[in-house]
Amino acid sequence: MDAQQFIPNPYIYSVEKGKVSWQSPSNIALVKYWGKKQDQIPTNPSISFTLNDCKTMTSLTFTKKENDGNFSFEVYLDGEKKDSFKPKIETFFKRVESYLPFLKDYHFKIETHNTFPHSSGIASSASGMSALALCLLSVEQQLIDKAVRSVAPVSTKASGVETSGKKASFLARLGSGSACRSIEGSLVEWGTHPEIEGSTDLFGVKYPYEVHEVFQNYQDTILLVDVGEKKVSSTVGHNLMHGHSYAESRFKQAGENLSALKDVFKRGDLDRFVEIVESEALTLHAMMMTSLPYFILIKPNTLQIIEKIWAFRKSTGSKACFTLDAGANVHLLYPETEKDKVLQFVQGELVEHCKDGKYICDSVGLGAQPIIENEE
Ligand code: DP6
């Protein structure tokens, strides 16, 4: 499998202007991606639950322009111009240009909106970059087949759409690694792993094996501890894994944890699930604390929440567990059957550790979807 397959044949149609829109969710990793090589290639395989409600809605208006060798685009978040997003998008455009050779032929207006507050500390790069990748792919589909109007669902196998799902994930990865796991649901694996058929470093694949019903509609309550901006970008963090003393054993461990999860998913073994997921979260932060320069993203409230989750599990037999992203917020994962009991626990004991008492209730979802605009 190589990237060449995503270079399109010369386009058949010319389209003057148009608008396409997609919504794409965030995801929460169970085995973490932390460390990457050239061209957004991960140093270890990862797997995540796709979320349902935390998502980005993006509209892309495109207007033909003369190809003067430059990218031309403007970005809006919630209707306000966001020039601070431009460098990341420019980098993305450069990385994907050979796979989307029409990029310099159009001016793009990118309008984006997140369902979660921008300042919530929830990374919007996975949902944002996957939504943008899907919009660009919809433009390309119109250049290949004029009849296509951005409505092709990514998960069906009809006429080349399966390939476009792969390409969407491939492009999203070049925007932000974890974004490649947001195209589909509900469990997506990314990174070559010998025991996962079809796995590749190039794009995320829907987890191909049996998943026990206990994982259906799994819940994720996100406890917002730190709502400020991230102080260390993921890219800087990933790069600190180069030459990190524990890097090799960490990468090996991620592969082993993924192997172990296969059996967990099949049998619905929640005790082992809890152990692997919490260990992954703590290892991710241990890598940050032991890199050079070192840094600490968890806050006193993060630790208080973790301790309360452990005590809650011990006293009630609950299978709720935590995981962490590259930040202080805590994702509390639990089966749907425990929803009432866990939410009572959250309200009674955990909200006091959340910034302004804020938390977000989400659950696993099915992936990105086109937004059908009314034809004018
Ligand atoms: C800690 O995907 O944000 O969330 O590829 O540099 O954009 P870039 O990094 P990003 O890294 C996310 C890392 C993580 C773990 C994970 O989602 O697997």
Side-chain angles (χ1 to χ4, degrees):
M1 191 90 62
D2 73 73
Q4 298 295 100
Q5 66 178 304
F6 296 116
I7 298 179
N9 292 326
Y11 298 131
I12 301 172
Y13 296 103
S14 161
V15 179
E16 277 307 306
K17 60 185 169 86
K19 185 175 181 182
V20 292
S21 305
W22 279 86
Q23 57 175 41
S24 190
S26 187
N27 66 69
I28 180 68
L30 306 171
V31 172
K32 307 291 180 182
Y33 148 55
W34 199 243
K36 63 178 168 184
K37 300 181 246 183
Q38 187 74 18
D39 299 329
Q40 296 284 101
I41 296 299
T43 38
N44 65 261
S46 59
I47 193 162
S48 52
F49 277 142
T50 306
L51 295 181
N52 195 54
D53 296 329
C54 288
K55 56 191 175 196
T56 299
M57 269 83 76
T58 298
S59 289
L60 186 71
T61 308
F62 54 102
T63 320
K64 192 107 187 194
K65 71 164 181 77
E66 192 195 328
N67 184 338
D68 58 359
N70 294 311
F71 299 119
S72 171
F73 63 95
E74 51 195 316
V75 200
Y76 295 82
L77 173 69
D78 299 330
E80 270 182 40
K81 209 162 192 194
K82 268 280 178 187
D83 286 342
S84 59
F85 286 6
K86 288 188 88 173
K88 191 155 186 179
I89 295 175
E90 177 97 19
T91 303
F92 173 55
F93 278 10
K94 280 185 195 146
R95 286 187 192 147
V96 297
E97 195 192 353
S98 50
Y99 309 102
L100 297 171
F102 62 86
L103 284 183
K104 287 178 176 160
D105 296 333
Y106 290 93
H107 173 75
F108 297 102
K109 182 178 182 190
I110 304 164
E111 291 168 284
T112 186
H113 166 73
N114 297 323
T115 56
F116 47 90
H118 183 58
S119 59
S120 65
I122 297 180
S124 58
S125 65
S127 53
M129 281 298 175
S130 52
L132 182 56
L134 282 157
C135 286
L136 291 170
L137 200 58
S138 287
V139 177
E140 175 168 81
Q141 284 179 342
Q142 293 187 24
L143 302 176
I144 294 169
D145 179 354
K146 248 186 178 166
V148 176
R149 279 280 178 247
S150 91
V151 292
V154 286
S155 53
T156 68
K157 292 191 176 173
S159 62
V161 174
E162 198 196 16
T163 320
S164 77
K166 284 181 188 167
K167 183 162 178 178
S169 176
F170 170 83
L171 296 172
R173 187 198 98 231
L174 293 170
S176 178
S178 57
C180 79
R181 299 187 313 237
S182 277
I183 306 293
E184 290 192 273
S186 51
L187 207 45
V188 178
E189 192 275 350
W190 168 42
T192 306
H193 189 285
E195 290 162 36
I196 305 216
E197 218 181 312
S199 63
T200 164
D201 289 344
L202 295 183
F203 49 83
V205 295
K206 201 174 153 67
Y207 178 72
Y209 305 115
E210 195 181 336
V211 180
H212 192 277
E213 61 179 3
V214 75
F215 293 108
Q216 254 171 36
N217 211 21
Y218 225 69
Q219 304 290 302
D220 180 6
T221 298
I222 308 162
L223 304 151
L224 303 177
V225 170
D226 185 15
V227 296
E229 292 289 318
K230 273 200 281 185
K231 278 167 211 77
V232 180
S233 85
S234 295
T235 295
V236 171
H238 287 294
N239 286 334
L240 291 175
M241 288 304 281
H242 294 299
H244 191 296
S245 306
Y246 304 133
E248 285 318 309
S249 49
R250 159 60 197 153
F251 301 148
K252 185 164 164 278
Q253 176 200 44
E256 287 162 1
N257 279 342
L258 194 44
S259 297
L261 276 179
K262 266 181 85 172
D263 185 56
V264 167
F265 289 139
K266 188 173 169 190
R267 295 196 300 114
D269 180 349
L270 290 185
D271 290 325
R272 187 80 178 106
F273 179 79
V274 166
E275 192 172 68
I276 293 169
V277 169
E278 292 192 345
S279 165
E280 274 290 320
L282 294 177
T283 303
L284 169 71
H285 284 260
M287 290 301 111
M288 300 173 189
M289 291 183 208
T290 49
S291 61
L292 270 178
Y294 40 80
F295 54 101
I296 300 180
L297 296 184
I298 52 176
K299 299 277 181 215
N301 277 318
T302 313
L303 280 177
Q304 303 248 37
I305 291 172
I306 290 174
E307 282 180 0
K308 283 191 175 175
I309 293 169
W310 285 342
F312 175 70
R313 252 200 337 258
K314 202 165 177 194
S315 65
T316 65
S318 164
K319 306 294 181 197
C321 69
F322 70 85
T323 188
L324 307 164
D325 259 346
N329 295 336
V330 180
H331 289 247
L332 182 58
L333 302 177
Y334 51 96
E336 195 186 18
T337 48
E338 289 196 24
K339 197 168 172 176
D340 294 346
K341 166 169 98 173
V342 173
L343 286 179
Q344 234 175 339
F345 161 60
V346 168
Q347 279 147 17
E349 293 195 49
L350 301 185
V351 278
E352 66 185 272
H353 303 293
C354 298
K355 185 94 181 170
D356 302 325
K358 285 201 178 121
Y359 61 94
I360 297 174
C361 292
D362 209 339
S363 56
V364 298
L366 298 177
Q369 282 185 337
I371 302 170
I372 318 287
E373 305 270 338
N374 290 329
E375 294 277 332
E376 276 145 69

